[in-house]
């Protein structure tokens, strides 16, 4: 690949071990290519310099933050410069009057929440990786999380962006004022574009009033169908839960194997349900408990205080490391209409049985967005292939049910082969044309999202 | 212009008087051109047919709904076909489980609200024209309204669209599921595009839980500055008002001239403040009343019941007809950061004094979005020109204050001359390039939004 300009020398990672850590994200099969560079930008000027160089030399650019992505959008590629922006981690402004925060893309999600909380405000989106994922990455994937059932996704909170385009042009999209309709709003194009259009260098996020500390109900079920019926009932509550998470038996076993998070043994499914409604958390969780009982829950436990509530949620937050510890896996991220959730769950079980792979079924039930995992043993011949086939089977089922191949992780590398199936060839061509408008040389994360791998 | 295809003959408006009503919207100076056609589409196929014809013949298309626009985006132009979609007025679906409604673009805003309410849900965006404006027009302008201070704007509630592009291709953007990040989301591009990219033929809107019937506080002030200070104080309430409207003395006089809406005589400004928070409206309005008193209100009246509250809001809703009755006017729609509201108000007063025109100052104070009106008398030489200069002066002030030339009405024809000033030449060129991608022949509302008139 072309030599990076000397002006960037202090930003280039040279230590091979350190460099290797910047080659991959958390996606399955991520591996360092033979030839790539890593630039750790310290400011806007560094990003501009990389984007100018990349355009001039036709060098692919892989924008990158905390490398917590699960779809492979941030993995180094052959001959590319990995442009890491985690050092752009300043919260520039929290404006309680306007209800916005302005932050660098490297600000950790939890840190933005904390900055907002200090002003009595709330930045809702909360991927399970909240403690270490960055706002820039959240914007790149239009990240969801646990609170979406009440609060929506990242896109619902992004009011404007500063973006560096290929060639180094710095643009601003959207607005900072409460209203503003002068010209096209390009913000929504960049949210969820997975680094294929430009590099986000500043985010203006909408903040909302702070909720109360959440209270929690935990319900267990003897079968997954009753649990999904309870989800459907809770979705229609006037005061919708602020969290509505599903875990199946295999998931609970994996979490309890790490530490005792208080889940009872031997149930087929658990639902964790929260309310954060100011002044009404205790009332809400009592009502949710009644709904869960009506839907056929085996046991229902209501947390009496915020501490106990936090302890129960800690179990949910431990889910990803627990499943990681369990073994190699393909992680699903399908999302279906809530009314089709039971069908999705049954299909997951059938697929796992047919393909003879182990499955865990968990995720954001209240959104119809599950993360079933298909496990495999690399030492067993055909095991990985069967898990991969199961992964593909479930994607097809999600589309048949009127859902999507990815609810919040992104298409990245792992799901690009199915994008045409969801969008159709005409729409895929249109989206490639939109990309070409911003990235005529095709240097931004080439081969990802829009193209089959 | 080219002859419309005979397949559309039953859709073409031939009666000259009826046709003339479809030539204009509510914008100042709107007038029928010499040569144009009006097609009243009855279904998707009609829209496709018009868009195919228009592309083939290079005929300009002016998409149109209820013709309530104030910026001139829906006015017939020479040689163009006005494509009215108000007959696509079916609410196809209200899905309480998913929390969405699917509606034709011709559905009246208030009718969509009503359909949502029947399912115990709420479609928040409420332009003052709610009783007669259409959802399609709301999408075209990214309409705001009275409840935005709490609930945001139309864009915040549009999850997906069906759009017919020039040439007749029917596309879908966005999603119906709670989450979904497969590919680029083009929805935000079309929301607020003012008919320059395509014709919206179906809208999937997000619904939220129904609020309580609102209660109201009315406060009067001896000067506008104290009123804007009160707005700033109320914006920072944890439970933000669901409505926070400002009216100055001249506005109140005009409204009271139509009927007695209960506003007291002789005050410099009034604020109307509402709460619709379930279970807490009475408590909220009492707290708002205390905030208003602290901010220096001369008089504060709290409506005791929903009926009285409605009566007070009726005065605000009567504002537009009242000002229309007052005479010819340029209607502003600037929006500034809330913290700059007092400066905007002072600038409006100074400009009116300097240009020797009458001004009324009112609007969505809680959003920093005012609709000052500059009145003129066509019979007085130079009167219109001075009002127009005042209009331009205030646009420039809004930009200097970090605001926008248009908060919710759109750029249309009336404000296209200032768009470059807000966006800059590079961004304007980029937006024209985005338009060209969807409308390569430049037939969609040509000359509007992006071009100086």
């Amino acid at each position: 690949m072309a030599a990076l300009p000397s002006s960037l020398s202090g930003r280039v990672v040279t230590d091979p071990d350190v460099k290797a850590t910047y080659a991959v994200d958390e996606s399955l099969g991520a591996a360092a290519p033979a030839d790539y560079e890593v630039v750790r930008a310290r400011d806007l000027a560094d990003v501009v310099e990389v984007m100018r160089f990349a355009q001039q030399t036709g060098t692919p650019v892989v924008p990158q933050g905390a490398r917590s992505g699960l779809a492979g959008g941030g993995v180094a590629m052959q001959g590319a410069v990995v442009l890491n922006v985690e050092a752009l981690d300043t919260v520039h402004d929290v404006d309680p009057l306007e209800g916005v925060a302005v932050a660098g893309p490297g600000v950790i999600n939890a840190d933005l929440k904390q900055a907002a909380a200090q002003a009595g405000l709330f930045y809702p989106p909360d991927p399970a990786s909240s403690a270490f994922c960055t706002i820039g990455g959240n914007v790149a994937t239009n990240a969801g999380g646990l609170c979406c059932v009440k609060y929506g996704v990242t896109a619902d909170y992004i009011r404007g962006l500063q973006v560096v385009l290929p060639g180094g042009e710095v643009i601003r999209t959207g607005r900072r004022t409460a209203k503003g309709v002068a010209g096209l709003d390009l913000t929504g194009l960049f949210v969820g574009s997975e680094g294929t259009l430009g590099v986000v260098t500043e985010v203006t996020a909408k903040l909302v009033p702070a909720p109360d500390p959440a209270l929690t109900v935990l319900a267990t079920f003897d079968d997954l169908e009753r649990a999904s019926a309870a989800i459907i009932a809770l979705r229609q509550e006037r005061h919708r839960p602020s969290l509505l998470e599903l875990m199946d038996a295999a998931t609970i076993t994996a979490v309890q194997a790490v530490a005792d998070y208080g889940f009872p043994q031997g149930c087929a499914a658990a639902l964790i349900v929260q309310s954060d409604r100011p002044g009404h958390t205790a009332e809400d969780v009592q009502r949710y408990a009644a709904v869960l009982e009506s839907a056929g829950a085996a046991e229902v436990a209501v947390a009496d205080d915020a501490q106990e509530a936090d302890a129960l949620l800690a179990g949910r937050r431990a889910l990803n490391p627990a499943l990681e510890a369990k073994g190699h896996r393909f992680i699903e991220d399908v999302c279906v209409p809530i009314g089709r959730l039971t069908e999705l769950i049954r299909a997951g079980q059938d697929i796992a049985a047919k393909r003879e792979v182990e499955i865990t079924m968990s995720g954001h039930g209240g959104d119809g967005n599950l993360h079933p995992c298909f496990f495999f043993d690399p030492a067993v011949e055909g095991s990985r292939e069967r898990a991969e086939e199961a992964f593909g089977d479930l994607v097809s089922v999600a589309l048949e049910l009127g859902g999507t191949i990815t609810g919040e992780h992104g298409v990245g590398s792992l799901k690009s082969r199915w994008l045409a199936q969801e969008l159709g060839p005409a729409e895929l061509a249109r989206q490639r044309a939109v990309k070409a408008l911003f990235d005529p040389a095709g240097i931004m994360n080439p081969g990802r999202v829009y193209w089959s791998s």
Side-chain angles (χ1 to χ4, degrees), chain A residues 90-379:
Chain A
T90 306
V91 177
H92 300 291
D93 188 20
V94 174
D95 180 345
L97 183 54
E98 203 64 45
V100 298
V102 181
V107 171
I108 301 294
N109 176 289
D111 292 344
L112 184 61
K113 282 180 183 299
Q114 181 61 26
Q118 281 167 3
L121 293 166
F122 182 42
Y123 175 71
D126 67 339
S129 53
S130 172
F132 49 92
C133 68
T134 61
I135 294 299
N138 294 172
V139 168
T141 57
N142 187 15
L146 285 71
C147 73
C148 304
V149 60
K150 176 174 174 179
Y151 291 101
V153 295
T154 299
D156 296 318
Y157 295 89
I158 304 304
R159 195 172 275 182
L161 297 169
Q162 183 191 64
V163 180
V164 183
L165 298 180
E169 188 183 5
V170 182
I171 71 166
R172 284 196 174 274
T173 72
R175 62 190 205 271
R176 186 173 164 140
T177 48
K179 293 171 175 170
V181 296
L184 300 176
D185 192 339
L186 306 182
T187 308
L189 269 187
F190 287 94
V191 179
S193 63
E194 301 188 49
T196 64
L197 304 180
V199 179
V200 171
T201 46
E202 191 187 278
V203 176
T204 300
K206 183 173 81 169
L207 306 177
V208 298
D212 272 4
L215 287 185
T216 304
V217 199
L218 174 67
T220 57
F221 293 84
D222 293 334
D223 57 69
L224 271 166
E225 285 75 6
R226 276 183 217 172
S228 65
I231 289 170
I232 288 168
L234 286 166
R235 271 283 301 194
Q236 297 177 82
E237 279 288 299
R238 182 180 183 196
H239 301 295
R240 200 186 280 174
S242 57
L243 179 146
L244 181 36
E245 295 284 309
L246 170 74
M247 299 167 79
D248 73 351
T251 306
I252 293 166
T253 303
V255 168
Q256 288 291 104
V258 174
D260 183 5
Y261 286 103
F263 291 106
Q265 294 289 315
C267 58
L271 289 185
I272 307 173
V273 190
Q274 290 196 324
S275 166
D276 65 0
R277 186 162 65 105
H280 296 275
T281 53
E283 169 196 338
D284 283 353
V285 290
Q286 289 298 341
R287 205 178 52 254
Y288 299 159
V291 171
L292 289 159
E293 275 161 16
S294 299
E299 282 183 57
V300 178
V302 177
D304 284 333
D305 56 41
Q307 199 180 350
E308 198 180 328
D310 248 21
L312 283 177
L313 190 59
R316 170 59 185 84
R317 290 216 187 258
L319 190 149
N320 284 329
L323 293 180
E324 199 169 339
K326 189 173 159 66
H328 298 273
R329 60 187 168 138
F330 285 87
I331 308 174
E332 266 301 352
D333 174 42
V334 292
C335 185
V336 297
I338 323 290
R340 313 301 294 272
L341 195 57
T342 307
E343 290 163 83
L344 180 70
I345 288 170
R346 284 200 189 119
Q349 292 170 323
D350 291 348
I351 288 166
K354 180 181 143 206
R355 298 290 185 187
E356 296 176 15
V357 294
E358 200 181 341
I359 184 174
T360 59
M361 200 108 61
S362 60
H364 318 300
D367 300 318
N369 176 211
L370 297 188
H371 300 307
C373 295
F374 295 106
F375 291 84
F376 63 92
D377 184 346

